[in-house]
Amino acid sequence: MQIDAAGKSFLQLNEEICACLKEQITITGCNGQRYIGDGLDKKKISVYGTAGNALGAYLCGGEIEVFGNAQDAVGDTMDSGRIVVHGRAGDAVGYAMRGGSIFIQGDIGYRAGIHMKQYQQKQPVLVAGGCAGSFLGEYQAGGTIVILNLKEETAAVGNFCAAGIHGGRIFLRQKEPPADLPQQVVARRAEGEDRQVLLPLMEEFERYFGRLKAPVDPGDFWVLTPNTKNPYRKLYTSNGG
């Protein structure tokens, strides 16, 4: 089924999406309407245009593919499913996501992947082909974030990366690790098991967005993980009365 979003409010558009009994929905003329696909379970939505805030929030097994850019909070608290954006995305991508995957072709904004978490078989994944803004992976508790930096900028990420991280891992493709990492973060070159994680994700990225212009070596990535010898919990306890 095809829905023309041109001139429609986000309320009207989402009412039509919810009322649709078809498994596949194509939305044309999208211009910033928010909450598209929130809580989606079985349907697949293709969006042409610019998706507004909270695209695929609380996604629960559905699929959303955007042929254009997306605004803030893509995949907010999503549980499972997949979101693919053929463009760039705004701030707070994957906020508190606990499962599923998000693939962004271009750059992502500030505070992407903050409060990401995982439980048993649910291992959330966020992959961006460009660069990320500041506070990437802030308070991350699980899951995997990959910043491919295909434009080969000097820095793949802004300031305060991995601030408060206590689980999961972040892959950054750049020559040196971020200079402002806190003591509670360990930075090392990707090797061995890391390659087994990166290669399938890069192959999946190419399936959505086409072959990369030049091969990407997993050894070019820095891996950021929590330093278990310097746990954050000591910063939040008190010995006094």
Side-chain angles (χ1 to χ4, degrees):
M1 178 177 177
Q2 181 170 316
I3 299 174
D4 185 4
K8 293 180 180 177
S9 69
F10 73 92
L11 285 172
Q12 183 180 359
L13 176 59
N14 285 301
E15 285 175 356
E16 292 186 29
I17 293 172
C18 290
C20 180
L21 300 179
K22 300 292 184 180
E23 291 293 316
Q24 295 194 10
I25 302 172
T26 298
I27 298 173
T28 59
C30 189
N31 188 24
Q33 288 93 338
R34 53 192 186 272
Y35 309 135
I36 294 174
D38 286 11
L40 192 73
D41 53 4
K42 297 178 181 179
K43 297 177 182 178
K44 178 176 180 179
I45 299 178
S46 298
V47 180
Y48 289 84
T50 300
N53 291 351
L55 171 79
Y58 309 105
L59 194 68
C60 192
E63 296 182 31
I64 302 175
E65 190 165 10
V66 179
F67 296 90
N69 299 323
Q71 294 179 333
D72 299 342
V74 172
D76 183 349
T77 323
M78 67 181 286
D79 180 75
S80 57
R82 180 168 60 244
I83 299 175
V84 177
V85 177
H86 295 259
R88 60 185 183 276
D91 298 338
V93 176
Y95 175 88
M97 66 182 296
R98 54 182 181 262
S101 59
I102 299 175
F103 285 80
I104 309 294
Q105 186 175 19
D107 297 334
I108 53 179
Y110 295 159
R111 286 191 159 87
I114 69 172
H115 292 293
M116 278 179 65
K117 59 205 73 175
Q118 64 186 51
Y119 179 70
Q120 294 183 353
Q121 299 302 315
K122 289 191 175 182
Q123 306 278 337
V125 171
L126 167 59
V127 180
C131 298
S134 297
F135 296 101
L136 175 73
E138 184 180 26
Y139 304 119
Q140 185 181 352
T144 300
I145 299 174
V146 180
I147 307 300
L148 293 171
N149 189 15
L150 295 177
K151 296 181 295 184
E152 297 186 344
E153 300 287 349
T154 303
V157 67
N159 299 320
F160 311 113
C161 180
I165 187 174
H166 51 282
R169 55 194 163 189
I170 300 174
F171 292 91
L172 301 176
R173 183 171 174 254
Q174 57 185 49
K175 292 183 178 180
E176 301 292 338
D180 60 349
L181 290 177
Q183 294 181 353
Q184 290 82 6
V185 178
V186 173
R188 57 177 174 77
R189 279 292 188 185
E191 57 184 12
E193 182 182 346
D194 303 317
R195 291 174 175 265
Q196 297 177 18
V197 174
L198 281 169
L199 286 172
L201 292 178
M202 289 192 291
E203 290 173 358
E204 188 170 359
F205 186 92
E206 287 186 316
R207 286 201 300 272
Y208 301 136
F209 307 120
R211 294 295 300 271
L212 302 180
K213 293 181 179 180
V216 174
D217 184 352
D220 292 339
F221 288 83
W222 287 93
V223 187
L224 310 185
T225 55
N227 182 0
T228 57
K229 295 181 180 179
N230 196 354
Y232 278 99
R233 65 175 178 269
K234 292 182 180 179
L235 300 179
Y236 301 104
T237 58
S238 173
N239 295 323

